[in-house]
């Protein structure tokens, strides 16, 4: 399963997924807080950081779809 986490902070949801025994292929995170990202990288180096949700362009990657949030 692929996970897309928006505004996940230090990604405590990752731990919940582990506890439930759900296998994760890829875990994507959209977070801007540098301190939260630092903690996340230390705890979960497998997470792929994709930047701000306002900058994410539409893509298809292993069945994962996302689109930009407009600033209007």
């Amino acid at each position: 399963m692929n996970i897309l986490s928006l505004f996940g902070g230090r990604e405590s949801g990752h731990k919940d997924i582990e506890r439930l025994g759900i296998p994760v292929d890829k875990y994507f995170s959209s977070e801007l807080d540098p301190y939260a990202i630092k903690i996340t990288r230390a705890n979960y180096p497998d997470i792929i950081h994709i930047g701000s949700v306002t900058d994410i362009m539409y893509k298809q990657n292993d069945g994962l779809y996302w689109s930009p949030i407009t600033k209007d």
Side-chain angles (χ1 to χ4, degrees):
M1 174 184 294
N2 292 325
I3 305 293
L4 173 59
S5 174
L6 303 177
F7 318 107
R10 25 181 209 136
E11 299 300 343
S12 57
H14 195 293
K15 188 66 170 175
D16 296 329
I17 291 169
E18 285 178 348
R19 287 181 184 156
L20 291 170
I22 298 171
V24 175
D25 296 316
K26 293 183 182 178
Y27 194 109
F28 299 90
S29 173
S30 177
E31 176 59 59
L32 295 180
D33 184 298
Y35 301 106
I37 293 170
K38 185 176 181 178
I39 292 169
T40 299
R41 286 193 170 139
N43 292 331
Y44 307 106
D46 60 314
I47 289 180
I48 302 163
H49 294 273
I50 56 175
S52 171
V53 295
T54 60
D55 297 331
I56 299 170
M57 300 305 292
Y58 179 82
K59 326 180 164 178
Q60 178 181 358
N61 185 354
D62 297 330
L64 178 68
Y65 298 86
W66 59 77
S67 61
I69 294 175
T70 60
K71 299 176 186 177
D72 300 328

